[in-house]
Amino acid sequence: MKYTAYSFLLGAFALLPQVLWGIDKNNTLACHETINVALNSRCEASVDVNDVLTDAPFSTDFTLELRDHHGDLIADNILRREHLWTTVMAKVIQDNNGNSCWGNIEVEDKMAPVISCSVFEVECVADMNFEPTHSDNCSESELIVLDDYSEKVICDNFIQRIKYTEYAAVDEHGNISMPCVQEVRILIPDISSIVFPPSYELMNSSNLTCTN
């Protein structure tokens, strides 16, 4: 893939200061020896030639090649889930003279899962297993309970108790989300909605008959 030196930077990268040098001393290229690339919310990251070069002259055309740990070319220079936690080789070639330099890319996932808590209202007989929704950009996530308590509500015609559960979500790589609190309001039952069983009375000939 061809680039010009003034194409803009995509993504966030942590750079290490060591460099590898091109061959022609009159047109020296310098590549970062190692850069760390974190995949985004779509579990991908686009790598640009300016991410790899330490410095590049303007109005000069370059070709960037990325190869995975098997030595295969990476299409469109886009890192994806399959490259996660591997070392990718990046090579920059100066088109007008063939000079080149190369370095390594450490592919990481630094993005925490996304978690969303809600407020539920249920009657006391309802199932109380309410959990927040959660998802992660690159892997499965699971919930962890940080706190769990309930409070009795005084002088309320509708709510008798509120259950609070504080959750966080963690992904397979140890990234932990910000916490959120799930609130479940236990409502006072509506007496008019209660269905009572029929009466079994001898005087009404509706009594139960027992047999030996």
Side-chain angles (χ1 to χ4, degrees):
M1 181 176 293
K2 294 184 182 299
Y3 295 88
T4 56
Y6 48 80
S7 55
F8 57 86
L9 176 67
L10 295 177
F13 303 89
L15 307 180
L16 297 181
Q18 301 178 40
V19 297
L20 298 174
W21 299 95
I23 300 172
D24 187 347
K25 294 183 179 180
N26 295 322
N27 294 279
T28 301
L29 293 182
C31 286
H32 292 282
E33 184 178 11
T34 302
I35 64 175
N36 295 75
V37 178
L39 302 187
N40 62 20
S41 59
R42 298 186 303 275
C43 199
E44 63 182 35
S46 178
V47 180
D48 186 86
V49 64
N50 290 320
D51 305 326
V52 180
L53 289 176
T54 61
D55 192 18
F58 286 95
S59 301
T60 302
D61 291 330
F62 297 93
T63 297
L64 173 64
E65 293 181 355
L66 299 185
R67 293 185 180 272
D68 63 19
H69 60 291
H70 298 297
D72 299 325
L73 279 173
I74 297 175
D76 301 321
N77 294 329
I78 297 178
L79 303 175
R80 295 180 172 86
R81 186 192 310 268
E82 59 266 28
H83 308 119
L84 192 58
W85 307 115
T86 67
T87 300
V88 170
M89 190 192 78
K91 182 179 181 180
V92 177
I93 304 169
Q94 193 168 352
D95 293 344
N96 61 357
N97 57 22
N99 278 359
S100 65
C101 64
W102 56 92
N104 294 320
I105 300 176
E106 301 293 340
V107 187
E108 303 173 330
D109 174 22
K110 296 296 186 182
M111 184 166 288
V114 176
I115 187 172
S116 178
C117 289
S118 303
V119 176
F120 294 92
E121 292 186 347
V122 298
E123 294 188 356
C124 62
V125 294
D127 184 5
M128 293 182 58
N129 185 25
F130 297 97
E131 293 184 342
T133 59
H134 57 100
S135 62
D136 187 61
N137 62 328
C138 288
S139 65
E140 297 294 327
S141 58
E142 62 180 22
L143 292 172
I144 53 177
V145 177
L146 304 177
D147 199 5
D148 187 26
Y149 62 97
S150 61
E151 292 180 350
K152 186 176 181 179
V153 179
I154 306 298
C155 299
D156 191 289
N157 294 328
F158 302 99
I159 302 174
Q160 60 175 317
R161 186 163 55 92
I162 301 177
K163 183 176 185 293
Y164 301 96
T165 306
E166 184 179 17
Y167 291 95
V170 58
D171 67 16
E172 295 176 357
H173 310 302
N175 299 309
I176 301 178
S177 71
M178 294 293 292
C180 70
V181 177
Q182 190 91 322
E183 181 178 324
V184 180
R185 300 173 180 176
I186 314 301
L187 304 179
I188 297 174
D190 182 3
I191 296 179
S192 64
S193 66
I194 298 176
V195 179
F196 293 94
S199 298
Y200 296 96
E201 298 177 334
L202 180 61
M203 60 181 297
N204 294 328
S205 300
S206 60
N207 59 295
L208 295 174
T209 300
C210 298
T211 58
N212 292 333

